[in-house]
Amino acid sequence: MKSFLENTWKHRAHVIMALPVFLILFFIMYVPMAGLVMAFKNYDFSKGIWASPWCGLDNFKFLLASKSTFISITKNTLMYYFIFTILGTFLNVVLAIAIDQFVFKKMAKVMQTLMIIPVFISYAAVQFIVYAFISTDTGILNHTFGMTTRFYSTASLWPLILTIVKIWNSVGYGSVLYMSVLAGIDTELYEAAQIDGANKWKQIWHITLPSLIPMITVMLLLSVGGIMRSDTGLFYQVTRNSGVLYSTTQVIDSYVLNAIFKNSNFGFTAATSFFQSVVGLLMMLFANGMVRKIAPENALF
């Protein structure tokens, strides 16, 4: 304890700098975890969290009550996770390399700035942009190509639409982390490869990509923890919560949001969050264990 206090005092400047972040994480991420007790209670507004009666696993049973619905929303959640993660990671890396290799550096910075902008646009606004493109009567696509496609009543089209919207919204911002890694690569490696006769493609394959693998691994491991979670704004607002599209657009989070609006069952919400967190934790531990066996230097712990 004495050595801990001495070390803390020695690095007091760093401790003070980290304190605001620590407090934010503590009060926003950890203190609310006490509310998970509602997953095992029949929550009553008049009694509060702690005085509400216990109900055991009834809230979890409610989640599994409709087997077909649970299977459908779980399948959609996993499907979109894998599509967004695999395609998003690939495009993030490609975009980062393309901007890094761009000859006109000032133009590359302008392009990077423009591609980051979509992440700051709320999905409440994005839904109107999407509607402007695909609405049946006034949509840009139907008018331009002379089509009469009813996008908001054709569920099979929405996996593609949601993927395009998600990629447009996130890829520019997602490439920033990989660009920071590329900025740290020693230029002498490229110069040595060039002297040995390696062209740009070989330099990318043998120098750039291996340098990005640790960051790619870390980002994938972190994303696995949210495998059962989805962007509620994307699936609820962009689809305008159309019941006709539920077969391909409803995920666990949007299902829970609809349940809250219908009956305000916060115990059910807590049970779902608990279920998502446990599955995410187990998946992250499993994925990290696999990485630790294959490439220990890239594992999180």
Side-chain angles (χ1 to χ4, degrees):
M1 185 65 180
K2 182 179 178 181
S3 61
F4 171 76
L5 294 175
E6 289 176 351
N7 188 56
T8 303
W9 178 253
K10 180 181 178 181
H11 299 283
R12 56 187 179 279
H14 298 95
V15 172
I16 293 173
M17 289 176 62
L19 187 59
V21 177
F22 171 79
L23 292 175
I24 290 173
L25 287 175
F26 179 73
F27 286 109
I28 295 180
M29 304 298 291
Y30 288 94
V31 171
M33 288 179 67
L36 286 175
V37 71
M38 286 196 298
F40 308 95
K41 288 194 170 191
N42 185 12
Y43 181 69
D44 188 335
F45 282 97
S46 61
K47 297 180 180 179
I49 296 177
W50 308 114
S52 295
W54 294 91
C55 65
L57 299 177
D58 288 351
N59 290 320
F60 294 92
K61 292 177 182 177
F62 182 74
L63 176 63
L64 302 172
S66 177
K67 187 176 180 181
S68 59
T69 301
F70 178 75
I71 292 175
S72 175
I73 61 177
T74 302
K75 180 191 70 175
N76 288 340
T77 303
L78 294 175
M79 176 187 73
Y80 285 112
Y81 167 80
F82 286 112
I83 292 175
F84 294 165
T85 301
I86 295 172
L87 185 59
T89 301
F90 173 75
L91 293 177
N92 285 340
V93 172
V94 169
L95 184 59
I97 294 174
I99 293 177
D100 183 69
Q101 296 292 328
F102 203 70
V103 177
F104 305 102
K105 297 300 180 183
K106 290 186 177 179
M107 182 62 71
K109 291 181 179 179
V110 173
M111 291 173 59
Q112 180 185 352
T113 303
L114 292 175
M115 287 183 291
I116 290 175
I117 291 176
V119 78
F120 298 107
I121 303 177
S122 168
Y123 279 117
V126 171
Q127 67 167 317
F128 294 108
I129 298 174
V130 174
Y131 184 79
F133 274 92
I134 66 174
S135 64
T136 305
D137 300 322
T138 59
I140 295 173
L141 290 180
N142 280 340
H143 270 260
T144 302
F145 298 102
M147 303 186 302
T148 56
T149 306
R150 295 183 175 276
F151 290 95
Y152 284 96
S153 58
T154 309
S156 60
L157 297 175
W158 279 87
L160 177 61
I161 295 172
L162 292 175
T163 299
I164 292 173
V165 174
K166 179 66 176 180
I167 295 302
W168 167 79
N169 180 263
S170 63
V171 165
Y173 183 77
S175 65
V176 173
L177 284 174
Y178 299 105
M179 290 184 66
S180 65
V181 175
L182 295 178
I185 298 177
D186 191 348
T187 55
E188 291 183 359
L189 293 174
Y190 292 108
E191 293 171 359
Q194 194 171 5
I195 292 173
D196 290 338
N199 57 28
K200 282 292 183 183
W201 289 109
K202 289 185 177 180
Q203 291 176 33
I204 291 172
W205 183 259
H206 294 288
I207 299 175
T208 306
L209 288 177
S211 300
L212 288 173
I213 286 176
M215 177 59 76
I216 294 173
T217 305
V218 169
M219 295 306 295
L220 289 176
L221 286 175
L222 292 174
S223 71
V224 168
I227 189 171
M228 298 301 290
R229 299 186 183 278
S230 307
D231 196 327
T232 308
L234 176 65
F235 292 97
Y236 186 84
Q237 293 180 311
V238 174
T239 63
R240 301 198 162 204
N241 196 33
S242 175
V244 181
L245 307 177
Y246 279 174
S247 61
T248 60
T249 63
Q250 191 169 58
V251 293
I252 293 177
D253 285 333
S254 61
Y255 176 74
V256 171
L257 187 61
N258 278 315
I260 292 175
F261 287 151
K262 289 178 181 178
N263 52 30
S264 300
N265 189 344
F266 289 98
F268 166 66
T269 306
T272 307
S273 298
F274 189 81
F275 166 74
Q276 291 173 307
S277 299
V278 170
V279 172
L281 175 62
L282 294 176
M283 289 299 298
M284 189 179 70
L285 292 174
F286 173 76
N288 188 74
M290 295 296 293
V291 172
R292 192 168 58 235
K293 288 184 177 181
I294 300 171
E297 68 278 3
N298 294 334
L300 289 176
F301 49 86

